[in-house]
Amino acid sequence: MTLQKIKSIRNLIFISAGVFVVIFGFAVSSCGIQHIIIIHDLKSYDVSFDPDFCASLVEKINLFNDDCEPKVEIIDCG
């Protein structure tokens, strides 16, 4: 009986972990999370002014603007 309970608990943990991974995958790709990440990256860029970081940030902003609202203004890396 005890071994059966352990297997049931183990199965419940595996199922819960699977559901968590699926939900987390959708959350990471959501526009709200992407917007927060871009705002954070813009603040980081304002401190570093790294041209390589700027180029990758502009690409990230362009991809975000294609799929999501509100639109984020493209920064000038010049």
Side-chain angles (χ1 to χ4, degrees), residues 23-37 64 68:
I23 291 172
F24 184 73
F26 284 118
V28 167
S29 66
S30 74
C31 291
I33 300 293
Q34 289 179 20
H35 190 256
I36 291 170
I37 292 169
F64 175 81
C68 301

Side-chain angles (χ1 to χ4, degrees), residues 12-25:
L12 180 63
I13 290 171
F14 285 137
I15 291 170
S16 298
V19 169
F20 175 76
V21 168
V22 169
I23 291 172
F24 184 73

